[in-house]
Short mmCIF file of all heavy atoms in Angstrom, two decimals:
data_model
loop_
_atom_site.label_atom_id
_atom_site.label_comp_id
_atom_site.label_asym_id
_atom_site.label_seq_id
_atom_site.Cartn_x
_atom_site.Cartn_y
_atom_site.Cartn_z
N LEU A 265 6.49 -0.90 -1.16
CA LEU A 265 4.98 -1.07 -1.26
C LEU A 265 4.42 0.25 -1.75
O LEU A 265 4.87 1.35 -1.39
CB LEU A 265 4.39 -1.38 0.08
CG LEU A 265 4.88 -2.66 0.79
CD1 LEU A 265 4.39 -2.72 2.21
CD2 LEU A 265 4.38 -3.89 0.01
N LEU A 266 3.36 0.19 -2.51
CA LEU A 266 2.61 1.38 -2.98
C LEU A 266 1.18 1.26 -2.60
O LEU A 266 0.57 0.16 -2.65
CB LEU A 266 2.70 1.50 -4.51
CG LEU A 266 3.98 1.96 -5.20
CD1 LEU A 266 4.01 1.74 -6.70
CD2 LEU A 266 4.26 3.47 -4.88
N VAL A 267 0.58 2.36 -2.12
CA VAL A 267 -0.83 2.47 -1.74
C VAL A 267 -1.43 3.62 -2.38
O VAL A 267 -0.81 4.56 -2.92
CB VAL A 267 -0.99 2.56 -0.25
CG1 VAL A 267 -0.39 1.26 0.48
CG2 VAL A 267 -0.31 3.79 0.33
N GLU A 268 -2.74 3.70 -2.38
CA GLU A 268 -3.49 4.88 -2.87
C GLU A 268 -3.23 6.05 -2.03
O GLU A 268 -3.12 5.96 -0.84
CB GLU A 268 -4.99 4.54 -2.87
CG GLU A 268 -5.47 3.51 -3.89
CD GLU A 268 -5.21 3.95 -5.31
OE1 GLU A 268 -5.31 5.11 -5.59
OE2 GLU A 268 -4.97 3.07 -6.17
N PRO A 269 -3.08 7.23 -2.66
CA PRO A 269 -2.80 8.40 -1.84
C PRO A 269 -3.97 8.86 -1.13
O PRO A 269 -5.18 8.60 -1.53
CB PRO A 269 -2.39 9.45 -3.00
CG PRO A 269 -3.01 8.94 -4.23
CD PRO A 269 -3.03 7.53 -4.07
N GLY A 270 -3.73 9.57 0.01
CA GLY A 270 -4.86 10.15 0.80
C GLY A 270 -5.70 9.19 1.55
O GLY A 270 -6.74 9.53 1.99
N ASP A 271 -5.20 7.87 1.71
CA ASP A 271 -6.01 6.85 2.43
C ASP A 271 -5.24 6.46 3.64
O ASP A 271 -4.35 5.50 3.63
CB ASP A 271 -6.25 5.70 1.47
CG ASP A 271 -7.24 4.69 2.05
OD1 ASP A 271 -7.28 4.52 3.23
OD2 ASP A 271 -8.01 4.15 1.23
N PRO A 272 -5.55 6.93 4.83
CA PRO A 272 -4.82 6.55 6.04
C PRO A 272 -4.88 5.09 6.36
O PRO A 272 -3.90 4.47 6.85
CB PRO A 272 -5.44 7.38 7.12
CG PRO A 272 -6.06 8.56 6.45
CD PRO A 272 -6.51 7.96 5.12
N GLU A 273 -6.05 4.49 6.10
CA GLU A 273 -6.24 3.04 6.44
C GLU A 273 -5.29 2.13 5.58
O GLU A 273 -4.65 1.22 6.13
CB GLU A 273 -7.68 2.58 6.19
CG GLU A 273 -8.62 3.24 7.30
CD GLU A 273 -9.99 2.67 7.08
OE1 GLU A 273 -10.23 1.79 6.23
OE2 GLU A 273 -10.87 3.12 7.94
N LYS A 274 -5.22 2.44 4.29
CA LYS A 274 -4.28 1.65 3.48
C LYS A 274 -2.88 1.93 3.78
O LYS A 274 -2.03 0.97 3.71
CB LYS A 274 -4.61 1.94 1.97
CG LYS A 274 -5.98 1.39 1.51
CD LYS A 274 -6.17 1.59 0.01
CE LYS A 274 -7.56 1.03 -0.36
NZ LYS A 274 -7.84 1.18 -1.82
N LEU A 275 -2.50 3.14 4.10
CA LEU A 275 -1.18 3.43 4.49
C LEU A 275 -0.80 2.69 5.83
O LEU A 275 0.31 2.17 5.99
CB LEU A 275 -0.92 4.91 4.65
CG LEU A 275 0.46 5.36 4.99
CD1 LEU A 275 1.50 4.88 4.03
CD2 LEU A 275 0.56 6.90 5.08
N ALA A 276 -1.77 2.71 6.75
CA ALA A 276 -1.52 1.97 7.97
C ALA A 276 -1.32 0.52 7.82
O ALA A 276 -0.47 -0.13 8.37
CB ALA A 276 -2.74 2.22 8.90
N GLY A 277 -2.08 -0.11 6.85
CA GLY A 277 -1.86 -1.50 6.47
C GLY A 277 -0.48 -1.75 5.93
O GLY A 277 0.17 -2.73 6.29
N ALA A 278 -0.01 -0.81 5.08
CA ALA A 278 1.28 -0.95 4.50
C ALA A 278 2.43 -0.84 5.53
O ALA A 278 3.40 -1.57 5.46
CB ALA A 278 1.46 -0.01 3.37
N ILE A 279 2.23 0.08 6.48
CA ILE A 279 3.17 0.22 7.55
C ILE A 279 3.33 -1.05 8.34
O ILE A 279 4.40 -1.46 8.74
CB ILE A 279 2.86 1.44 8.41
CG1 ILE A 279 3.04 2.72 7.63
CG2 ILE A 279 3.79 1.49 9.61
CD1 ILE A 279 2.48 4.01 8.31
N ALA A 280 2.16 -1.62 8.67
CA ALA A 280 2.16 -2.84 9.43
C ALA A 280 2.87 -3.99 8.73
O ALA A 280 3.64 -4.76 9.32
CB ALA A 280 0.70 -3.29 9.81
N ILE A 281 2.61 -4.11 7.42
CA ILE A 281 3.28 -5.13 6.63
C ILE A 281 4.75 -4.88 6.58
O ILE A 281 5.58 -5.81 6.74
CB ILE A 281 2.68 -5.19 5.18
CG1 ILE A 281 1.23 -5.64 5.29
CG2 ILE A 281 3.51 -6.07 4.32
CD1 ILE A 281 0.47 -5.51 3.94
N MET A 282 5.14 -3.66 6.27
CA MET A 282 6.57 -3.33 6.18
C MET A 282 7.26 -3.55 7.56
O MET A 282 8.43 -4.06 7.59
CB MET A 282 6.74 -1.90 5.72
CG MET A 282 8.23 -1.48 5.54
SD MET A 282 9.07 -2.46 4.21
CE MET A 282 8.42 -1.59 2.76
N ASN A 283 6.62 -3.27 8.65
CA ASN A 283 7.21 -3.45 9.98
C ASN A 283 7.55 -4.89 10.18
O ASN A 283 8.52 -5.22 10.92
CB ASN A 283 6.31 -2.97 11.06
CG ASN A 283 7.03 -2.86 12.36
OD1 ASN A 283 8.16 -2.48 12.47
ND2 ASN A 283 6.27 -3.17 13.46
N ARG A 284 6.77 -5.83 9.65
CA ARG A 284 7.04 -7.26 9.78
C ARG A 284 8.13 -7.75 8.81
O ARG A 284 8.85 -8.75 9.13
CB ARG A 284 5.81 -8.04 9.52
CG ARG A 284 4.70 -7.85 10.57
CD ARG A 284 3.63 -8.92 10.46
NE ARG A 284 2.92 -8.86 9.18
CZ ARG A 284 1.82 -8.18 8.84
NH1 ARG A 284 1.34 -7.46 9.85
NH2 ARG A 284 1.27 -8.24 7.73
N ASN A 285 8.28 -6.99 7.67
CA ASN A 285 9.11 -7.64 6.57
C ASN A 285 10.32 -6.81 6.16
O ASN A 285 11.04 -7.30 5.24
CB ASN A 285 8.20 -7.86 5.39
CG ASN A 285 7.05 -8.80 5.67
OD1 ASN A 285 7.22 -9.81 6.31
ND2 ASN A 285 5.90 -8.53 5.14
N TYR A 286 10.53 -5.64 6.71
CA TYR A 286 11.60 -4.75 6.15
C TYR A 286 12.95 -5.45 6.14
O TYR A 286 13.79 -5.17 5.29
CB TYR A 286 11.63 -3.47 6.90
CG TYR A 286 12.09 -3.49 8.35
CD1 TYR A 286 13.38 -3.49 8.67
CD2 TYR A 286 11.12 -3.48 9.40
CE1 TYR A 286 13.82 -3.50 9.99
CE2 TYR A 286 11.54 -3.49 10.69
CZ TYR A 286 12.85 -3.52 10.99
OH TYR A 286 13.30 -3.56 12.35
N HIS A 287 13.25 -6.27 7.10
CA HIS A 287 14.55 -6.94 7.22
C HIS A 287 14.75 -8.04 6.18
O HIS A 287 15.78 -8.55 5.95
CB HIS A 287 14.72 -7.49 8.59
CG HIS A 287 13.70 -8.52 8.96
ND1 HIS A 287 12.44 -8.13 9.38
CD2 HIS A 287 13.73 -9.89 8.97
CE1 HIS A 287 11.71 -9.23 9.63
NE2 HIS A 287 12.44 -10.33 9.37
N GLN A 288 13.65 -8.40 5.41
CA GLN A 288 13.70 -9.41 4.39
C GLN A 288 14.04 -8.92 3.06
O GLN A 288 14.36 -9.76 2.12
CB GLN A 288 12.42 -10.21 4.36
CG GLN A 288 11.98 -10.91 5.69
CD GLN A 288 10.71 -11.60 5.56
OE1 GLN A 288 10.18 -11.78 4.50
NE2 GLN A 288 10.25 -12.08 6.78
N TYR A 289 14.09 -7.63 2.85
CA TYR A 289 14.45 -7.07 1.53
C TYR A 289 15.97 -7.21 1.33
O TYR A 289 16.80 -6.73 2.07
CB TYR A 289 14.04 -5.58 1.39
CG TYR A 289 12.62 -5.39 1.25
CD1 TYR A 289 11.73 -5.33 2.34
CD2 TYR A 289 12.07 -5.24 -0.02
CE1 TYR A 289 10.34 -5.14 2.18
CE2 TYR A 289 10.66 -5.14 -0.20
CZ TYR A 289 9.79 -5.08 0.98
OH TYR A 289 8.47 -4.87 0.76
N PRO A 290 16.41 -7.83 0.19
CA PRO A 290 17.87 -8.00 -0.01
C PRO A 290 18.53 -6.70 -0.37
O PRO A 290 18.15 -6.10 -1.34
CB PRO A 290 17.91 -9.01 -1.15
CG PRO A 290 16.57 -8.86 -1.90
CD PRO A 290 15.61 -8.50 -0.85
N GLU A 291 19.49 -6.31 0.46
CA GLU A 291 20.06 -4.92 0.27
C GLU A 291 20.65 -4.69 -1.07
O GLU A 291 20.44 -3.65 -1.70
CB GLU A 291 21.07 -4.81 1.37
CG GLU A 291 20.57 -4.65 2.80
CD GLU A 291 21.61 -4.19 3.74
OE1 GLU A 291 22.77 -4.06 3.38
OE2 GLU A 291 21.28 -3.97 4.93
N HIS A 292 21.39 -5.69 -1.64
CA HIS A 292 22.06 -5.41 -2.85
C HIS A 292 21.10 -5.17 -4.02
O HIS A 292 21.40 -4.38 -4.95
CB HIS A 292 23.05 -6.58 -3.22
CG HIS A 292 22.28 -7.86 -3.56
ND1 HIS A 292 21.77 -8.68 -2.57
CD2 HIS A 292 22.01 -8.44 -4.71
CE1 HIS A 292 21.16 -9.72 -3.16
NE2 HIS A 292 21.26 -9.60 -4.45
N VAL A 293 19.92 -5.80 -3.95
CA VAL A 293 18.96 -5.57 -4.98
C VAL A 293 18.47 -4.16 -5.00
O VAL A 293 18.27 -3.53 -6.08
CB VAL A 293 17.76 -6.57 -4.81
CG1 VAL A 293 16.67 -6.20 -5.80
CG2 VAL A 293 18.25 -8.02 -5.03
N LEU A 294 18.27 -3.58 -3.78
CA LEU A 294 17.75 -2.24 -3.73
C LEU A 294 18.66 -1.21 -4.36
O LEU A 294 18.26 -0.51 -5.28
CB LEU A 294 17.48 -1.89 -2.23
CG LEU A 294 16.56 -2.82 -1.45
CD1 LEU A 294 16.32 -2.26 -0.07
CD2 LEU A 294 15.28 -3.01 -2.17
N SER A 295 19.92 -1.13 -3.93
CA SER A 295 20.83 -0.18 -4.44
C SER A 295 21.26 -0.43 -5.81
O SER A 295 21.43 0.50 -6.64
CB SER A 295 22.03 -0.02 -3.50
OG SER A 295 22.67 -1.25 -3.41
N GLU A 296 21.40 -1.65 -6.19
CA GLU A 296 21.92 -1.96 -7.61
C GLU A 296 20.85 -1.54 -8.63
O GLU A 296 21.20 -1.03 -9.70
CB GLU A 296 22.25 -3.42 -7.67
CG GLU A 296 23.52 -3.88 -7.06
CD GLU A 296 23.92 -5.30 -7.24
OE1 GLU A 296 23.22 -6.01 -7.98
OE2 GLU A 296 24.84 -5.70 -6.61
N GLU A 297 19.59 -1.84 -8.36
CA GLU A 297 18.62 -1.49 -9.33
C GLU A 297 18.45 0.04 -9.42
O GLU A 297 18.27 0.57 -10.55
CB GLU A 297 17.22 -2.03 -8.88
CG GLU A 297 16.09 -1.70 -9.87
CD GLU A 297 14.80 -2.29 -9.47
OE1 GLU A 297 14.79 -3.33 -8.74
OE2 GLU A 297 13.71 -1.83 -9.84
N ILE A 298 18.52 0.76 -8.37
CA ILE A 298 18.49 2.22 -8.35
C ILE A 298 19.69 2.75 -9.12
O ILE A 298 19.59 3.70 -9.98
CB ILE A 298 18.43 2.71 -6.90
CG1 ILE A 298 17.13 2.45 -6.26
CG2 ILE A 298 18.63 4.28 -6.92
CD1 ILE A 298 15.90 2.92 -7.02
N ARG A 299 20.84 2.25 -8.91
CA ARG A 299 22.03 2.71 -9.58
C ARG A 299 21.98 2.49 -11.04
O ARG A 299 22.32 3.36 -11.92
CB ARG A 299 23.26 2.02 -9.01
CG ARG A 299 24.62 2.47 -9.54
CD ARG A 299 25.80 1.76 -8.92
NE ARG A 299 25.90 1.96 -7.49
CZ ARG A 299 25.64 1.02 -6.51
NH1 ARG A 299 25.13 -0.19 -6.92
NH2 ARG A 299 25.71 1.28 -5.28
N GLU A 300 21.36 1.42 -11.45
CA GLU A 300 21.20 1.11 -12.87
C GLU A 300 20.22 1.99 -13.55
O GLU A 300 20.38 2.41 -14.66
CB GLU A 300 20.77 -0.37 -13.07
CG GLU A 300 20.59 -0.78 -14.48
CD GLU A 300 20.24 -2.25 -14.59
OE1 GLU A 300 20.52 -3.04 -13.64
OE2 GLU A 300 19.61 -2.57 -15.59
N ARG A 301 19.10 2.30 -12.91
CA ARG A 301 18.05 3.07 -13.43
C ARG A 301 18.18 4.55 -13.27
O ARG A 301 17.78 5.35 -14.16
CB ARG A 301 16.69 2.64 -12.89
CG ARG A 301 16.37 1.17 -13.16
CD ARG A 301 14.94 0.82 -12.70
NE ARG A 301 13.93 1.65 -13.35
CZ ARG A 301 12.80 2.05 -12.77
NH1 ARG A 301 12.53 1.71 -11.55
NH2 ARG A 301 11.97 2.72 -13.47
N PHE A 302 18.66 5.03 -12.10
CA PHE A 302 18.66 6.44 -11.74
C PHE A 302 20.02 6.96 -11.39
O PHE A 302 20.15 8.14 -10.91
CB PHE A 302 17.72 6.68 -10.58
CG PHE A 302 16.29 6.14 -10.82
CD1 PHE A 302 15.84 5.04 -10.14
CD2 PHE A 302 15.45 6.73 -11.77
CE1 PHE A 302 14.56 4.53 -10.30
CE2 PHE A 302 14.15 6.20 -11.95
CZ PHE A 302 13.78 5.11 -11.25
#
Side-chain angles (χ1 to χ4, degrees):
L265 302 170
L266 284 169
V267 299
E268 291 295 328
D271 191 326
E273 291 186 0
K274 290 185 178 179
L275 182 57
I279 293 172
I281 293 171
M282 183 63 77
N283 191 38
R284 294 194 298 266
N285 300 318
Y286 67 82
H287 58 282
Q288 297 180 11
Y289 285 86
E291 291 189 357
H292 68 282
V293 172
L294 304 185
S295 58
E296 285 183 7
E297 181 176 336
I298 290 303
R299 188 177 294 109
E300 181 180 336
R301 296 184 63 210
F302 306 109

